[in-house]
Amino acid sequence: MKQKGMKSFSLSIVLIICLLIYTPLIADEGMWTFDNLPLKLLKEKYGFEPSQEWIEHVRLSCVRINDGGSGSFVSPNGLVMTNQHVMRGQLQKLSTPENDYVKNGFYANSPADELKCPDVELNVLVSMDNVSEQVHNAAKNLNDQEGLKARAAEISKIQKESFDSTGLRSDVITLYQGGEYWLYRYKKYTDIRLVFAAEQQIAFYGGYLDNFTYPRYELDMALVRVYENGKPIESKHFLKWNSKGAVEGELVFVVGNPGSTDRMMTMAQLETQREIVLPMILKSIKRRLNVLKNYAASGSEQARQVVAAIAGTENGLKSITGEYNGLLDKDLMKQKQDDENKFRTAVNANAEWKKTYGSAWNDIAKAQKKYEEYFKIQRFRSVPNGSMANMALRLVRYASELTKADADRMNGYHDAQLESFKRSLQSTAPVYPELDEKLLINAFEESLELLGPKDLFVKTILNGRTPAEAASEIVNGTKLNDRDFRKSLIEGGPAAIDASNDPMLVFARKIDPILRESGTSFRDQIASVEVASGEKIGKARFAVYGKSMYPDATFTLRFAFGTVKGYPSNGTLAAPITTYYGLYDRALGFGLKEPFHLPARYMERKDKLDLSTPSNFATTCDIIGGNSGSPVINRNGEVVGLIHDGNMEGLVGNFIYNDETGRAVSDHSAGMIMALRKLYDADRIANELEGK
Amino acid sequence: MKQKGMKSFSLSIVLIICLLIYTPLIADEGMWTFDNLPLKLLKEKYGFEPSQEWIEHVRLSCVRINDGGSGSFVSPNGLVMTNQHVMRGQLQKLSTPENDYVKNGFYANSPADELKCPDVELNVLVSMDNVSEQVHNAAKNLNDQEGLKARAAEISKIQKESFDSTGLRSDVITLYQGGEYWLYRYKKYTDIRLVFAAEQQIAFYGGYLDNFTYPRYELDMALVRVYENGKPIESKHFLKWNSKGAVEGELVFVVGNPGSTDRMMTMAQLETQREIVLPMILKSIKRRLNVLKNYAASGSEQARQVVAAIAGTENGLKSITGEYNGLLDKDLMKQKQDDENKFRTAVNANAEWKKTYGSAWNDIAKAQKKYEEYFKIQRFRSVPNGSMANMALRLVRYASELTKADADRMNGYHDAQLESFKRSLQSTAPVYPELDEKLLINAFEESLELLGPKDLFVKTILNGRTPAEAASEIVNGTKLNDRDFRKSLIEGGPAAIDASNDPMLVFARKIDPILRESGTSFRDQIASVEVASGEKIGKARFAVYGKSMYPDATFTLRFAFGTVKGYPSNGTLAAPITTYYGLYDRALGFGLKEPFHLPARYMERKDKLDLSTPSNFATTCDIIGGNSGSPVINRNGEVVGLIHDGNMEGLVGNFIYNDETGRAVSDHSAGMIMALRKLYDADRIANELEGK
């Protein structure tokens, strides 16, 4: 009797594991790397078998846009399609008080009118090499802290060697939490010219309110052209345009660069996110948003200066709120707990796996106990991103890091990264000292509140003064708002930077050692354990599930698939597709009030449009922030849409894929081409897209 | 120190009570009786002061439709506006396999084409008299059970006296849970002729899916005309039509007959609803729906027969699910608990109130303990509403009740009620024995499952047979599906009914005493306590809050007010108004698939329409089921809309008013008049509405 009982038990374990392995294969789930596409699943579920040629063509047609988005070549002449919101920062940097390209949009009537973007970089993934063995071997037999350093040095070495030998941007990508390391080589483009951008009012229709929702009616579209040597490149690989576009139930693909996901987090890590990290971040974002809005309220020019920053911050707020709500969802957390229990049971059922990987979850859980203390230090000993204080800090670090061997440098200062570094600091984008000061005061106040007056960083930045006094002094004395000054420092190199008495640089020199030390403490106490244990868990996943899993997103090229599909929403169904009728319904339903008003051309030219033309559509494709601007393509590899958002229900996608109600939201190719021709008189470009 | 502490305590109680009294005055809350309109609030909040003439005119312009809805006179020639779904039962009864008025709609091209409805009754509230003292006195010094009987007898007496002296339908209405009793006299109309009804496909656009949701795009409109002596009546009081209709932010009013609410339930009663009653009812509705759907699936003629029954059942299911979800909402229940605590604190703070009313909550709570047992008996010892078994039961009861004095009869068989009784049993509506049998089998099976084989009722109906055998026997032998047979029984009176050996009547005679006894047990054990304690609580409410409160809904005429207003929904805002653009967006977004396809005329005549015309709109007016068909009127007493639904978020309105997200949903007068003229060629009626 007992024997039999044992047997059934083992059998049920096997069954559970089989079910586990099979489950992900049913849903349209996954942000797959191009070395491991779900070909078997696509064949079985959809009868689709892409050729190697198809796969390579698609990969080489897609680009990463280093402002945080994706795009694709859509003509043989270097034309790239992406979102207006991906290009919004560039549009703003190109704008002046007289000429607001964010508000008014942009269209280049002729090639000569195409407008050079100040500081955006496009990358095409040209090769992928598995360097896991090299990186893993580097850390063999070392403890966690030593291993972390050794891996970083090895990665830096691989990158440098690749860059030196190929001249290509060379990034080692950590996949499966360190379960694999890959060397990705990119062809890099930096002469990017603006061809078309829709007005903010239609590109971000409904503003913050409609963001992350569906049904939607945006034309979140921008087109840029890649130049080299002053001429458009010949883009051999580009996606053909399909003007009919996607229809309900159609199998489609999204190829782009999802930024990051945390789907492999352990329960202990998720709880830390829910209890400590996200509430703290949400509070911090709200503070910053408040500062930006007060600034915008002080004048129309001020409002223009921060429109992109406000939109971006609100976007972040809604997005993180969605994630946070996901973590508060008891059903979701139970599902994650069940998954973890099953996974750990499977690991512990194998003696070898148990010995090698079994302790990882508890090690991570132990590290979480110190998380709050070190997270606060890491997060709130800082200066605002994009501020002059941040520029100063980067200059100071550049000066000191350049004196070291490449392998010993901080991330961001390796030889292969210096070109991007220099370009971003020499950006022609205007700096607004008044705004910079307000954001710095807010940051100083926040540090004081959260770390207390006795904190070393706080004592250093304030030195007996109020946050306002401290910020005012360095902002008002600096010349870092002057691009030429920054350029001269970079060109002058470490010597010039070290010699400068600019108060912002003096300030940066004071805080740099404190920030380095703070980063180290978080790394040593928390990150090293999470990385080392994460690697174990990643390897355990391989052991249990093989490569039937996809890795967490890493802002590298991924392949997703799904169908055009509505979903249960608001007590009924959301339609798979919206039309231009819906745009006018929403605008008029609100009496054309902001943020639901329409650009003038949409009112004047309404009768020229076929309003039954699709505007946006929803798909089950597995995407996340960073996928913005990704093409949606059909079985023929043709463009049928343009990803611009996900819905609220999909925001939990950071932690778990939700195909019941989560959806990727796209512009529809039929609506895009109609708008170009009928609303924007952009036949030059519409013809180029349609190959006419 | 102690003295001061005491004083602050008392002061805070006073403050709490003041806040309590003030709170309801802030929101657009309330289903107010016409003797107690919120005039002070309307003046203070909206600067609106209706004259007594305005009030009386509006009251006399509105009607109750005894199929469970509301309506209003909209021309001097007896034209009444209501919902298609209020008239749906009549439309179906008028339909034949060749002529399906539910599916195809109806329009009378000329007065001669106006089609007589089989069995609908319209009531106009002509007078209201407070008879509280009489009814309260009748039960003075009696125990709960005796008091219940004495009150019922007194009510019956008042009704009879009124009917005898005026000839008007005379109903004594219980308000404030017995805190007040009012004699309402109605002018009754029974010759109601169909003038217009929209097709089901647009009247119930999106079907069960879109029901109780918003944004909506329905034309849920029907027009009937009231005749007397073969001619349209002269309706002196009617609402003028406003073809511009309501705009965002406008103050509007809804006058109609909300069916019932449970806003005065105690926490103990709400918990009984949540734990016992609603789960049981939901399960029962799902069973019935399943039977109807299986029947519909058996053929197109069968499908036609039950289309209205399915829609009605699905409507009930979604509605009760919404209420149930409201009760599962922890915040909502906490709010109700807080309200009850404050109310009881206020009662207990006054020695006299405490003595008179203080025990009511505990008495109700005690009665709840026996609720499940008696509720099951009351609910599942029964035959389906509208079935031949139900007709038989009513005939048998008619025969026996008629031998008693009016005051001693069961409710439904008093002299004043007999005319309605006879008309409903002599309805020309077809009876479908095949369907009747299936519903009876389901009811028998349900009784068996829930009450068990040993239950007296179950033993009696089955008598050793299966539910199917038992039902088949009586359905197949009966002649009650024949209207002439039913008519002959009624005309023959008790003697004819008692003499009949029709198997359905024989069956009814067997179950009648059991059902009477079952009803009595629930009444004695539960209802009597709830009514008596409810009366105490109602009186306590008067004592604490005065008539700043409105009573629970009782399917009598009420006045609600509010503004045209969007609300937070689906992560963004729902627009206050929808347009015809939105209808086409939704239809095309689903590829014109059922239930989102459009009637042919909507496709063919699309270009004749101004699609920017409002279709539906949302208001904060406090409504509930029974308000369907109510006019939405502006300050001038003109029709600007037609209530047809509430949204999901408003379903908790059964227990608590929710102005944050709950909304009443209406057809817009501009959309209605455009549809009549451009889609239905109904200029004859459109001109009548617009007074042309």
Side-chain angles (χ1 to χ4, degrees), chain A residues 209-210 213-215 217 248 318 569-579 581-582 584-586 588-590 593 596 606 611-612 648-649, chain B residues 209-210 213-215 217 248 318 569-579 581-582 584-586 588-590 593 596 606 611-612 648-649:
Chain A
L209 284 167
D210 277 7
T213 74
Y214 183 84
Y217 309 95
E248 182 176 4
K318 205 169 183 181
S569 166
N570 190 31
T572 176
L573 292 180
I577 291 174
T578 70
T579 69
Y581 280 125
Y584 288 93
D585 179 51
R586 194 150 175 81
L588 292 165
F590 283 103
K593 267 189 242 162
F596 300 104
K606 194 182 70 184
L611 299 181
S612 69
M648 293 281 290
E649 295 88 338
Chain B
L209 284 167
D210 277 7
T213 73
Y214 183 84
Y217 309 95
E248 182 177 4
K318 206 167 182 180
S569 167
N570 190 29
T572 176
L573 293 180
I577 290 174
T578 71
T579 69
Y581 280 125
Y584 288 93
D585 178 52
R586 194 148 175 81
L588 291 165
F590 283 103
K593 266 189 245 164
F596 301 104
K606 194 182 71 184
L611 298 182
S612 69
M648 294 280 291
E649 295 87 338

Side-chain angles (χ1 to χ4, degrees), chain B residues 7 30 58 122 152 269 349 438 491 520 538 547 568 606-607 617:
Chain B
K7 207 171 170 187
V58 162
L122 259 62
Q269 288 172 303
K438 294 210 182 305
E491 283 168 359
T520 312
K547 275 181 85 169
K606 194 182 71 184
D607 293 341
F617 64 106

Side-chain angles (χ1 to χ4, degrees), chain A residues 383-402:
Chain A
V383 290
N385 274 335
S387 67
M388 289 190 287
N390 183 263
M391 289 177 188
L393 186 63
R394 292 165 71 202
L395 284 165
V396 165
R397 285 177 172 180
Y398 171 74
S400 76
E401 292 299 307
L402 235 59

Side-chain angles (χ1 to χ4, degrees), chain A residues 362-428:
Chain A
N362 289 342
D363 292 344
I364 285 178
K366 242 167 77 185
Q368 304 305 301
K369 293 197 169 59
K370 298 176 281 183
Y371 206 102
E372 182 168 5
E373 177 189 348
Y374 290 102
F375 176 72
K376 257 192 193 170
I377 288 174
Q378 193 214 24
R379 170 104 190 173
F380 298 105
R381 285 187 179 176
S382 68
V383 290
N385 274 335
S387 67
M388 289 190 287
N390 183 263
M391 289 177 188
L393 186 63
R394 292 165 71 202
L395 284 165
V396 165
R397 285 177 172 180
Y398 171 74
S400 76
E401 292 299 307
L402 235 59
T403 62
K404 302 177 188 168
D406 190 72
D408 295 333
R409 293 183 201 160
M410 275 185 105
N411 188 30
Y413 301 91
H414 296 297
D415 284 345
Q417 298 169 315
L418 290 181
E419 203 183 314
S420 299
F421 167 83
K422 287 178 188 172
R423 202 177 46 261
S424 87
L425 271 175
Q426 293 176 63
S427 165
T428 53

